[in-house]
């Protein structure tokens, strides 16, 4: 140690030595002196990590994963060590370390390491039952949720690790312990409040979080598209919390017909939804959350499946909520750039394909209306000014009929209402029969002009096949009627 001090404390050899010194007690934690050994190791580790290791240059932090493993092994074996750590984190000295290392630090590696430390601490508390009788666990959760009011807002660009921690808590091996505690503390309301902002934002006032200035905006959203890209884990956390709650009381069917949304392979134990959470989802301002669900599908990679899952869970046997979801999707179908429509159509496809007693109602709301803001309405209004958007709507109907037998039957029964759209598409393709721009996708370009592509020709062929099937059914039905009349005459 004296040699290392004289040479250079900030070197990898010394850092490795400290880690091994912390880890040397792990083999003896089951002994009579296990508690004191665990405390010694954790105290040394926290002192070193918070004052030295997390503050060094990145090239010196070569064994971060080994540190995480070492601390995790100590927490798994020592109840006393776990209690000490959670109590330290809620003490004055510990609280001072949370925001700088979890949000304000410029190094994502350090933020991730500190978030992992907190996650392992909570997991150990839940697994060992410490959370039931330890006020420090509750206090630490309160402190983390309180950061959503200001600190996370001020550091939204570096908030992904914070939301990863929240996601880890609701996805823990003991969700029956963690989720009720989080819901009791209003975690859903806090997280959703961060995402949506105050009610005035939803009314059309956009707040710039960097300058504090407010201005009228069409979207009425708190965060810009670029900022929202950091919130995948936030949406995942909200999704988990919603799926853990019972929503059957909001189903718009007779009480005797209510049933839980079928979810294969999942734990069916559901928690009663808190009143504040009910108001945020199914209340008068529920459309704000739905709007954010739809918007995020356009902005965040890999989130479409996540959002459609939670939307379908709430739409099941609930026509009112289904109408809100479909309305928000259709609004954005008319305004989103053509290259962002694919995610919206995927979302709409999942919602209208829900196989329950309101499937026909959803199909009608999406395809026909009431009102002009429908899939057929978009095709009609955009056929001359935004042909690429109109084409994508036709493609959606064709693919929907291929995927969902009910949708196919529905469209066949109302073929007269959309045959003109197929004729329009045939005309657009025939107009460009000499075109050489076949490699330009109509779904990824921002242009408003339709291009004849192989995909477009396949879509037309599928639509023609669908109409041909209808004509064959009509001829068969007509032939059967004639045979019946002949039989009667005889």
């Amino acid at each position: 140690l004296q040699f290392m001090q004289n040479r250079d404390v900030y070197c990898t050899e010394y850092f490795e030595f400290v880690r091994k010194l912390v880890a040397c007690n792990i083999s003896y934690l089951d002994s009579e002196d296990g508690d004191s050994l665990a405390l010694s190791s954790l105290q040394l580790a926290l002192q070193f990590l918070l004052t030295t290791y997390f503050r060094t240059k990145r090239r010196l932090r070569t064994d971060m994963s080994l540190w995480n493993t070492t601390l995790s092994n100590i927490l798994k074996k020592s109840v006393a060590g776990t209690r000490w750590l959670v109590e330290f984190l809620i003490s004055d000295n510990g609280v001072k370390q949370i925001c700088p290392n979890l949000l304000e630090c410029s190094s994502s590696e350090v933020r991730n390491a500190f978030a992992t430390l907190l996650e392992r601490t909570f997991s150990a508390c839940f697994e060992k039952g410490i959370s039931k009788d330890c006020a420090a666990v509750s206090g630490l959760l309160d402190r983390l949720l309180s950061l959503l009011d200001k600190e996370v807002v001020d550091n939204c660009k570096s908030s992904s690790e914070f939301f990863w921690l929240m996601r880890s808590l609701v996805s823990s091996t003991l969700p029956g312990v963690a989720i009720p505690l989080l819901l009791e503390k209003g975690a859903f309301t806090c997280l959703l409040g961060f995402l949506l902002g105050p009610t005035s934002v939803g009314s059309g006032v956009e707040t710039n979080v960097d300058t504090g200035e407010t201005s009228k905006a069409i979207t009425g959203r708190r965060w810009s598209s670029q900022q929202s890209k950091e919130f995948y884990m936030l949406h995942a956390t909200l999704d988990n919390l919603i799926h853990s709650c019972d929503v059957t009381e909001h189903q718009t069917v007779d009480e005797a017909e209510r049933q839980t949304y079928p979810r294969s392979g999942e734990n069916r134990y559901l928690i009663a939804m808190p009143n504040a959470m009910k108001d945020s989802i199914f209340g008068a301002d529920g459309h704000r959350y739905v709007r954010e669900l739809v918007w995020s599908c356009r902005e965040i990679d890999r989130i479409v499946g996540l959002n459609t899952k939670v939307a379908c869970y709430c739409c099941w046997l609930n026509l009112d909520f289904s109408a809100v979801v479909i309305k928000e999707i259709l609004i954005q179908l008319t305004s989103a750039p053509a290259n962002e429509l694919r995610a919206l159509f995927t979302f709409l496809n999942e919602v209208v394909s829900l196989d329950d007693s309101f499937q026909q109602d959803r199909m009608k709301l999406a395809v026909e209306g009431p009102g002009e803001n429908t899939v057929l309405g978009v095709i009609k209004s955009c056929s001359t000014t935004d042909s690429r958007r109109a084409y994508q709507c036709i493609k959606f109907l064709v693919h929907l009929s291929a995927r969902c037998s009910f949708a196919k039957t529905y469209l066949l029964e109302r073929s007269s209402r959309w045959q003109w759209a197929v004729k329009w598409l045939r005309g657009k393709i025939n107009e460009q029969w000499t075109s050489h721009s076949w490699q330009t996708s109509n779904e990824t370009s921002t242009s408003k002009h339709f291009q004849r592509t192989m995909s477009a020709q396949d879509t037309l062929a599928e639509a023609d096949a669908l109409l041909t099937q209808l004509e064959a059914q009509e001829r068969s039905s007509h032939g059967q009627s004639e045979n019946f009349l002949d039989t009667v005459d005889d």
Side-chain angles (χ1 to χ4, degrees), residues 290 294 298 322-336 341 344-345 347-348 352 362-379 381 389 393 396-397:
V290 173
V294 179
R298 297 166 46 187
S322 299
V324 173
V325 173
I326 293 172
K327 178 183 177 181
E328 291 295 340
I329 296 174
L330 292 174
I331 288 174
Q332 296 196 36
L333 280 180
T334 62
S335 59
L341 296 181
L344 298 179
F345 282 124
F347 201 154
L348 185 60
V352 299
R362 293 192 194 93
M363 197 74 65
K364 184 176 181 179
L365 285 171
V367 178
E368 300 180 83
E372 297 295 326
N373 195 21
T374 63
V375 174
L376 291 179
V378 173
I379 298 174
S381 62
R389 188 183 305 274
C393 288
F396 162 74
L397 293 177

Side-chain angles (χ1 to χ4, degrees), residues 67-118:
W67 271 105
N68 289 335
T69 303
T70 299
L71 293 175
S72 179
N73 289 335
I74 296 174
L75 294 173
K76 286 180 180 179
K77 290 189 174 185
S78 175
V79 174
T82 303
R83 283 183 178 275
W84 175 86
L85 181 54
V86 73
E87 288 172 359
F88 167 77
L89 290 171
I90 201 60
S91 66
D92 291 341
N93 291 332
V95 166
K96 293 177 181 178
Q97 298 291 340
I98 295 178
C99 190
N101 290 292
L102 185 60
L103 291 167
E104 296 174 351
C105 181
S106 60
S107 170
S108 60
E109 186 181 32
V110 172
R111 296 197 306 270
N112 183 67
F114 192 78
T116 302
L117 173 63
L118 292 174

Side-chain angles (χ1 to χ4, degrees), residues 134-368:
C134 183
V137 176
S138 178
L140 184 56
L141 280 175
D142 287 334
R143 175 55 185 162
L144 289 173
L145 293 175
S146 70
L147 296 177
L148 290 164
D149 294 334
K150 185 179 186 301
E151 288 82 357
V152 184
V153 174
D154 295 340
N155 298 277
C156 64
K157 293 181 180 179
S158 55
S159 62
S160 56
E161 289 78 16
F162 176 89
F163 292 119
W164 172 86
L165 173 61
M166 294 291 107
R167 161 70 166 171
S168 299
L169 293 181
V170 299
S171 306
S172 66
T173 55
L174 294 172
V177 178
I179 292 179
L181 184 58
L182 286 166
L183 291 177
E184 179 185 335
K185 294 186 171 299
F188 183 89
T189 305
C190 293
L191 292 166
L192 189 62
F194 167 86
L195 180 63
L196 303 181
T199 306
S200 59
V201 176
S203 302
V205 180
E206 187 176 62
T207 304
N208 187 315
V209 297
D210 295 323
T211 64
E213 298 177 352
T214 59
S215 60
K216 289 287 182 180
I218 296 176
T219 62
R221 301 176 72 207
R222 183 181 197 181
W223 307 102
S224 67
S225 295
Q226 190 63 35
Q227 292 168 326
S228 297
K229 294 181 186 296
E230 299 292 331
F231 299 154
Y232 175 86
M233 286 298 174
L234 170 57
H235 283 280
T237 305
L238 295 172
D239 171 79
N240 265 49
L241 291 173
I242 293 174
H243 270 92
S244 300
C245 294
D246 186 1
V247 297
T248 55
E249 68 174 281
H250 297 282
Q251 294 175 357
T252 53
V253 293
D254 294 336
E255 189 171 350
E257 299 176 5
R258 293 176 180 175
Q259 54 181 293
T260 304
Y261 179 61
R263 297 178 294 162
S264 57
E266 294 190 25
N267 183 4
R268 293 185 177 273
Y269 173 75
L270 298 174
I271 305 168
M273 183 176 285
N275 291 330
M277 190 172 172
K278 294 177 187 177
D279 294 338
S280 299
I281 301 173
F282 300 105
D285 289 332
H287 67 280
R288 297 184 63 208
Y289 174 54
V290 173
R291 182 197 307 163
E292 196 64 33
L293 278 182
V294 179
W295 266 99
S296 61
C297 288
R298 297 166 46 187
E299 300 164 341
I300 306 176
D301 296 335
R302 305 177 291 110
I303 205 173
V304 178
L306 192 74
N307 287 357
T308 55
K309 180 181 176 183
V310 70
C312 289
Y313 179 67
C314 295
C315 285
W316 178 256
L317 294 176
N318 189 329
L319 184 57
D320 293 341
F321 191 83
S322 299
V324 173
V325 173
I326 293 172
K327 178 183 177 181
E328 291 295 340
I329 296 174
L330 292 174
I331 288 174
Q332 296 196 36
L333 280 180
T334 62
S335 59
N339 61 325
E340 295 181 5
L341 296 181
R342 180 182 295 179
L344 298 179
F345 282 124
T346 300
F347 201 154
L348 185 60
N349 194 325
E350 293 295 330
V351 172
V352 299
S353 298
L354 270 179
D355 187 11
D356 65 5
S357 55
F358 293 122
Q359 188 172 22
Q360 181 169 339
D361 298 277
R362 293 192 194 93
M363 197 74 65
K364 184 176 181 179
L365 285 171
V367 178
E368 300 180 83

